[in-house]
Amino acid sequence: MIELNLNRHREKAVTSFREQLHVDFQRYLTQEAVRFNPEECLRMDFHCHDRNSDIPDELWGRILGLPETWLETRDLVKCLRGNGSDVITITNHNNARSCWELLDKGHDVVVGTEFTCHFPEYELYVHVLTYGFTPEQEVVLNKKRRDIYDFLRYTAEHDIPVVLPHPLYFYTRNPHIRLELFEKFAVLFQRFEVLNGHRDIWQSLLVLNWARGLTEEKLVRYGHKHKLNPADFAVSLRAPKVLTGGSDDHMGLSAGQCGSSLFVPNLAQRRKTTPLSQLALEAIRAGRIAPYGHVGENQKLSLALLDYFAQIATRMEDPGLLRLMLHRGETNDKLACFAIANVMLELKKHKNTQRFVGFVHDALHGTKPGWKLRWGVSADYKFCVKHLETIADSHDKPPEQAREMVNEAISALFNGLTHLIAGRLGKYASKYSEVPLDEFSTETLIRKFEIPTQIRGLAFGKAPRDKKNITGVNFGELVDQLSFPLIMAGVLAGSQVASARVLYENRSFLNDFADHIGSNHHPRRALYLTDTLRDKNGVSSSLSAKLAEIQRRDYPVDFLICHSDAAPEPHLHVVRPITQITFPKFGEQQLRIPDVLEIARIFYNGGYDRVVCSTEGPMVLVALFLKYMFNVPAFFFMHTDWLDFVKHTTNLDHHERDRIRRLLRALYHQFQGVFVLNTDHRKWLTGSQIGLPEEAVHLTGHHVEPSRRNVVPVQKSELIPGATAATPVLFMAGRMSKEKGVLELPEIYKAAKQQIPDLQLVIAGSGPAEAELRAALPEATFLGWVSRERIEQIYAGLDLFVFPSQFDTFGNVILEAFSQGMPVLAYNCKGPKDIIQNGRNGYLVDTIDEMSERIVQHFSERERHAAMRREALLRVADYQAEPIMRQFLGNMGLPIAEPEMEQRSAA
């Protein structure tokens, strides 16, 4: 069954959510392409902008005093003509200056504007593409756009055609927009833009299917409900909605690649006597329109934003601190704009970086770097020139191929820059760090985890050195080394983040809308990030078991790890690290730094709509990056008690440890839900120290992988020479580290052995405390790491499992022991106290002395051993995979229906 399920997962991957969207939308465009005779059609991009879109709707643009574009009108017209537009229109925001200028120069133009109109009852703004008006009417329209109903009554009265562009993208601070808004759209508009070159194909298809489903009966019902007469807005009850296309280009990169074919009967004759603009308006009014082109999803938008950011870097002027502080907007908006302004203005001081940003802009418009740059650039940056040349070469390729070339080049450029950053950081750390990396410890990290209040100390490392913070690190020098790669990587990543954020700002509304129309539902799938999976530790073992269960039942969750050697599997993505850092003081674990944009592409292409993270390493930052970028819910699975770890492995005082608590509090509050493995942690997270709401903390557990049947118990004599079946033998398995309590074993064992002289101890596992433990217990039997099959035999053949850890949040080894009928002795804390039933399948104690006493008691009551073994086996039934995984998925809002094949098997 496992293999069949994995095959089904592969088949599902062939036709993913986004692939199906493309298939469906391309089918629609193919149908539209044959609606009219191409010989009798004019091509027009209904939606494009130039430099006269100088007052943006976006708040940040207004705060920073930035236009939407610096594109000259002549360059836009050249781009439109080059991409096959027969008729020109320019739809700048709230003005038709470019159209009037072209008309004054003798050009034939369809006058157009994208007006921002206000819905008074919602505090919501929408754009309305408007065509064919006069200068006098433009003045009236700008006055009436304060109320969309007045605006649309006026356009209907004067036969001015309008189109609602990107209907699912609007401007509002109201997070609770109701679906009834679209009932009003249906009554107010006859024409809708369903193909927008810079929007997401999911949104395009949602609008297409919604518009196609609008019937006369619905329009009549909506009109009555909202007391609106469709006739007042030139909306026909019987005619189907008219659907249009446009590029929404602002940078001159793709204008004309998307648009609408306008059917004009007898075009060849009529164009001899009638201006094409007049023929185009005639076709628009009559609804003889068929969209053409390609939806670029976030790719076109991210390229446009990259070009925009590149131009900001070279053109931006200081917006002024007073202006910024006094501008309308929330404090967070102003702080963000303050940061952006400082970064961009600082960039202007770095002439080489600014020149390179200019080369990025040139490459996006088809101009290769000059020979001076190619020959003069240092070896470290040769790869940048190579990728810029690829971007420039793409300009002459077909749109789809060009877009693919540019995106691959940008991905490679970002990857190269991040490798460069990592390399230089490593060199700087090796050269200037007061503590060598091979001696770096948790204690050192926490004590240095502070920022000096004296800015001079932060910026230049010249403040008096303080052991309590990071003074001594010369950030000025470090920034000089990293300014170019850091800023360029930030610009590249920023364009990707901004494009996705723009498209999915109202994701919850999109999901509601899909439910409303009954089609194109976004899949509910989670991407599970972890810094450890194929490693030798308890967290890795638990996650491996979870992955195996996901693979077995084909649950809607996929893991992703950053690893140098692991291979991808069904439900497992593997990305290679940019760099790896090993801190010997932390044991065998490596810190692997992934390419965050590579993971973002996997998230987007995989159709995921939520993210889970299990570790507080680099992947937790990636999880929050994805949360913000795609506006998705994020969840955290708490495996490790870091406060307890710090307490047991360092000499830090309470105040120093409290830094970690504050950091964890800030981290956990970023997640919609936190999963915990024991009731103690649930109380801690919902208590005053962390302060999470109770509904956000979910109690869960690990499960036991199904045991092999007919496990043959190990013979004690196989492990301990001279031992017999009656020899009392203790067993301990796990990672040998201080926080696991293993250094208490010698005291526990020796105290018990005083009363049980023939008591033996077997230990499996390894870790940083192994040498110290071997020295303290020379009489014990050390097995090292053993296979799962072998350890099952050991659990089945020995007598009592000793678990001296007060650190573990759960205790997988307890369930592993129970699965073979072995009772467990543990401290009465955290995970063990939730699993072990004291006196039935094990023992819970509070002190080392009590642990030794229970060992003695256990072996003095041999008549109870059989019953305890039975109770241990019964307890395992409470930790089976299916119910635990069902609850886990349900708490994340994921579907928990049985896979189709298993339902058939059950039937």
Side-chain angles (χ1 to χ4, degrees):
M1 180 178 291
I2 294 177
E3 183 61 33
L4 288 173
N5 273 342
L6 298 188
N7 288 336
R8 186 168 72 247
H9 178 74
R10 297 187 190 104
E11 292 168 5
K12 286 166 61 177
V14 172
T15 307
S16 71
F17 170 66
R18 296 209 165 271
E19 288 172 340
Q20 189 59 52
L21 293 178
H22 278 281
V23 168
D24 293 345
F25 201 75
Q26 189 56 49
R27 184 184 301 117
Y28 162 71
L29 291 179
T30 301
Q31 293 169 353
E32 291 296 290
V34 298
R35 273 183 64 202
F36 305 120
N37 180 2
E39 300 294 325
E40 295 188 297
C41 285
L42 297 170
R43 289 163 64 94
M44 185 176 95
D45 186 341
F46 271 46
H47 192 174
C48 55
H49 303 263
D50 69 9
R51 61 180 176 80
N52 281 313
S53 271
D54 51 1
I55 302 178
D57 284 321
E58 287 78 8
L59 178 62
W60 287 14
R62 296 199 303 276
I63 293 175
L64 293 168
L66 297 170
E68 287 202 340
T69 177
W70 289 269
L71 180 65
E72 294 293 336
T73 304
R74 64 177 179 274
D75 294 329
L76 174 59
V77 172
K78 180 181 178 182
C79 185
L80 288 167
R81 295 293 188 197
N83 284 317
S85 293
D86 301 303
V87 184
I88 301 298
T89 188
I90 301 175
T91 54
N92 288 324
H93 287 298
N94 302 319
N95 76 83
R97 289 196 298 270
S98 296
C99 294
W100 304 133
E101 290 169 6
L102 288 173
L103 286 170
D104 289 344
K105 294 176 182 178
H107 294 275
D108 182 29
V109 176
V110 171
V111 175
T113 292
E114 188 174 26
F115 287 101
T116 302
C117 297
H118 182 227
F119 268 96
E121 67 270 41
Y122 297 121
E123 283 302 314
L124 176 144
Y125 295 86
V126 297
H127 288 165
V128 180
L129 294 170
T130 310
Y131 308 97
F133 49 85
T134 66
E136 294 76 19
Q137 289 172 330
E138 181 185 3
V139 174
V140 177
L141 289 167
N142 259 312
K143 291 179 180 178
K144 289 188 174 293
R145 67 186 180 87
R146 297 180 180 90
D147 187 312
I148 193 168
Y149 302 104
D150 289 345
F151 181 93
L152 293 175
R153 287 188 180 97
Y154 181 83
T155 58
E157 180 183 347
H158 293 83
D159 200 20
I160 299 172
V162 295
V163 176
L164 182 65
H166 43 71
L168 285 166
Y169 181 76
F170 33 76
Y171 299 89
T172 182
R173 292 270 173 163
N174 180 2
H176 304 296
I177 297 302
R178 292 173 293 180
L179 291 168
E180 70 175 25
L181 173 66
F182 275 75
E183 297 175 355
K184 295 182 179 181
F185 282 169
V187 178
L188 295 173
F189 291 94
Q190 183 65 26
R191 304 172 194 88
F192 295 91
E193 181 185 73
V194 297
L195 194 161
N196 183 300
H198 281 73
R199 301 292 164 177
D200 180 72
I201 194 168
W202 180 36
Q203 300 179 35
S204 298
L205 205 56
L206 284 171
V207 173
L208 172 63
N209 288 327
W210 168 76
R212 284 175 148 183
L214 292 174
T215 62
E216 179 180 356
E217 182 272 330
K218 287 183 180 179
L219 294 179
V220 170
R221 176 156 47 87
Y222 296 160
H224 286 311
K225 178 180 178 180
H226 300 293
K227 297 180 174 57
L228 297 171
N229 183 1
D232 291 345
F233 309 103
V235 171
S236 170
L237 292 176
R238 296 184 178 180
K241 296 297 184 183
V242 177
L243 307 178
T244 72
S247 68
D248 201 3
D249 182 271
H250 287 66
M251 299 295 140
L253 296 175
S254 59
Q257 292 179 5
C258 298
S260 299
S261 296
L262 303 173
F263 176 58
V264 181
N266 197 23
L267 174 62
Q269 291 299 318
R270 296 195 62 196
R271 70 188 303 162
K272 295 177 182 179
T273 58
T274 308
L276 295 186
S277 60
Q278 186 174 327
L279 296 176
L281 281 169
E282 175 189 300
I284 293 171
R285 290 187 173 103
R288 299 193 297 267
I289 303 174
Y292 68 82
H294 301 275
V295 177
E297 303 201 47
N298 72 330
Q299 296 175 346
K300 281 187 183 178
L301 185 56
S302 63
L303 293 180
L305 289 172
L306 175 59
D307 192 22
Y308 185 60
F309 292 166
Q311 293 184 71
I312 289 176
T314 56
R315 296 173 183 263
M316 183 176 176
E317 301 296 332
D318 191 338
L321 182 60
L322 283 178
R323 179 183 181 279
L324 189 150
M325 291 173 61
L326 298 175
H327 201 286
R328 182 174 64 86
E330 301 292 334
T331 302
N332 288 342
D333 294 318
K334 296 177 183 180
L335 288 174
C337 290
F338 177 77
I340 292 170
N342 274 270
V343 169
M344 291 302 177
L345 293 173
E346 182 66 26
L347 187 148
K348 296 182 78 170
K349 298 178 183 178
H350 296 266
K351 297 303 179 184
N352 289 334
T353 304
Q354 192 176 29
R355 286 178 59 215
F356 188 83
V357 170
F359 292 139
V360 171
H361 167 70
D362 293 340
L364 287 169
H365 288 269
T367 301
K368 287 187 176 183
W371 66 269
K372 287 185 179 179
L373 178 65
R374 290 198 299 271
W375 289 101
V377 71
S378 69
D380 282 350
Y381 298 120
K382 290 287 186 184
F383 72 93
C384 297
V385 178
K386 172 188 172 184
H387 296 314
L388 288 182
E389 290 177 337
T390 300
I391 292 171
D393 286 339
S394 71
H395 206 255
D396 296 326
K397 299 293 189 294
E400 289 298 307
Q401 182 183 352
R403 199 153 46 247
E404 192 68 28
M405 288 177 64
V406 172
N407 279 288
E408 288 180 2
I410 288 174
S411 297
L413 182 58
F414 179 81
N415 190 272
L417 290 167
T418 49
H419 273 90
L420 189 61
I421 293 168
R424 290 188 176 180
L425 280 173
K427 289 179 182 178
Y428 183 88
S430 299
K431 184 177 180 181
Y432 294 103
S433 177
E434 297 177 5
V435 182
L437 287 180
D438 60 355
E439 297 179 12
F440 208 79
S441 67
T442 310
E443 192 166 329
T444 305
L445 174 64
I446 295 169
R447 285 198 167 128
K448 288 288 184 180
F449 191 77
E450 188 53 271
I451 296 174
T453 53
Q454 187 178 353
I455 299 298
R456 178 181 178 87
L458 175 62
F460 306 107
K462 294 181 179 179
R465 293 180 181 270
D466 187 340
K467 293 181 180 181
K468 295 183 179 179
N469 62 43
I470 58 175
T471 49
V473 176
N474 192 325
F475 276 84
E477 182 179 340
L478 184 59
V479 167
D480 281 342
Q481 293 186 31
L482 298 177
S483 61
F484 170 73
L486 201 59
I487 291 173
M488 280 310 305
V491 168
L492 294 173
S495 65
Q496 301 281 330
V497 172
S499 65
R501 186 70 187 184
V502 165
L503 292 175
Y504 294 108
E505 184 70 34
N506 59 342
R507 179 185 283 270
S508 61
F509 183 83
L510 297 178
N511 288 326
D512 292 342
F513 192 78
D515 291 338
H516 174 66
I517 67 173
S519 67
N520 309 123
H521 298 90
H522 196 289
R524 288 185 290 163
R525 295 186 61 81
L527 186 64
Y528 200 130
L529 308 180
T530 175
D531 293 287
T532 183
L533 186 69
R534 300 306 192 211
D535 304 303
K536 293 180 178 180
N537 60 66
V539 175
S540 176
S541 299
S542 301
L543 293 176
S544 295
K546 193 179 294 289
L547 173 59
E549 184 65 13
I550 288 168
Q551 291 172 329
R552 189 171 77 88
R553 295 188 178 272
D554 198 23
Y555 285 132
V557 180
D558 292 336
F559 271 71
L560 186 146
I561 60 172
C562 182
H563 204 282
S564 299
D565 307 315
E569 303 172 18
H571 289 282
L572 174 62
H573 300 282
V574 180
V575 298
R576 301 308 177 199
I578 291 171
T579 188
Q580 299 183 127
I581 305 171
T582 301
F583 297 106
K585 292 283 186 179
F586 289 88
E588 303 89 348
Q589 290 304 304
Q590 288 184 317
L591 196 66
R592 305 180 183 102
I593 310 299
D595 182 335
V596 66
L597 289 189
E598 181 183 1
I599 297 176
R601 287 191 297 274
I602 291 171
F603 187 91
Y604 182 79
N605 293 329
Y608 303 102
D609 72 334
R610 62 207 70 201
V611 62
V612 194
C613 185
S614 263
T615 45
E616 291 91 345
M619 281 301 185
V620 77
L621 300 179
V622 176
L624 295 178
F625 179 86
L626 296 177
K627 172 197 169 183
Y628 177 80
M629 180 174 182
F630 294 104
N631 193 23
V632 296
F635 300 87
F636 190 82
F637 200 123
M638 184 179 171
H639 286 276
T640 304
D641 185 339
W642 288 107
L643 285 181
D644 210 33
F645 175 82
V646 168
K647 181 179 179 180
H648 283 85
T649 59
T650 71
N651 295 314
L652 296 172
D653 61 32
H654 169 74
H655 298 291
E656 291 170 323
R657 294 198 302 270
D658 208 43
R659 292 179 183 173
I660 296 300
R661 181 188 63 81
R662 292 191 182 102
L663 180 64
L664 292 173
R665 180 177 62 192
L667 175 66
Y668 296 148
H669 273 269
Q670 304 304 309
F671 293 91
Q672 276 70 25
V674 177
F675 291 90
V676 294
L677 291 163
N678 60 73
T679 53
D680 281 0
H681 273 154
R682 186 175 188 180
K683 291 176 183 177
W684 179 67
L685 287 172
T686 57
S688 60
Q689 290 200 329
I690 302 298
L692 290 177
E694 290 192 9
E695 62 273 15
V697 181
H698 309 290
L699 184 61
T700 184
H702 293 315
H703 61 266
V704 181
E705 289 194 70
S707 176
R708 296 178 303 123
R709 294 182 179 179
N710 302 319
V711 172
V712 178
V714 69
Q715 297 297 314
K716 294 177 180 178
S717 58
E718 295 178 38
L719 305 176
I720 306 164
T724 67
T727 302
V729 182
L730 303 175
F731 183 47
M732 199 286 290
R735 175 178 162 80
M736 296 185 203
S737 55
K738 183 179 178 181
E739 75 277 3
K740 294 282 190 176
V742 296
L743 298 182
E744 296 180 5
L745 275 176
E747 183 177 351
I748 295 168
Y749 174 65
K750 289 173 182 178
K753 192 173 176 65
Q754 288 180 358
Q755 298 189 50
I756 311 175
D758 58 343
L759 183 67
Q760 300 294 319
L761 174 61
V762 175
I763 300 173
S766 63
E770 182 176 355
E772 186 176 354
L773 191 61
R774 282 179 179 269
L777 285 170
E779 63 271 50
T781 301
F782 288 84
L783 304 178
W785 279 98
V786 297
S787 68
R788 180 188 171 196
E789 292 75 11
R790 183 59 171 168
I791 206 166
E792 285 179 347
Q793 293 176 333
I794 296 171
Y795 283 134
L798 302 188
D799 300 308
L800 179 65
F801 189 88
V802 180
F803 189 61
S805 173
Q806 299 186 54
F807 165 73
D808 283 63
T809 58
F810 188 73
N812 286 335
V813 288
I814 298 174
L815 292 181
E816 291 173 6
F818 279 0
S819 70
Q820 300 303 323
M822 176 180 274
V824 177
L825 168 62
Y827 285 113
N828 187 25
C829 64
K830 297 180 188 170
K833 78 173 187 179
D834 287 349
I835 303 171
I836 297 170
Q837 297 163 313
N838 190 34
R840 291 176 60 185
N841 44 38
Y843 307 96
L844 293 171
V845 299
D846 295 314
T847 66
I848 291 177
D849 289 341
E850 287 182 15
M851 193 163 276
S852 299
E853 291 168 6
R854 285 294 180 275
I855 293 172
V856 174
Q857 176 187 340
H858 178 75
F859 286 107
S860 67
E861 299 175 343
R862 290 181 176 269
E863 68 279 3
R864 298 186 60 232
H865 289 190
M868 293 190 80
R869 284 187 172 275
R870 287 194 298 271
E871 290 291 336
L873 292 170
L874 288 174
R875 184 60 170 155
V876 172
D878 296 329
Y879 291 90
Q880 295 304 298
E882 184 179 354
I884 290 174
M885 287 300 297
R886 280 178 168 273
Q887 182 182 4
F888 176 63
L889 297 176
N891 287 334
M892 288 195 295
L894 290 173
I896 55 176
E898 285 290 330
E900 179 184 343
M901 185 176 63
E902 292 190 5
Q903 289 179 350
R904 289 202 304 268
S905 298

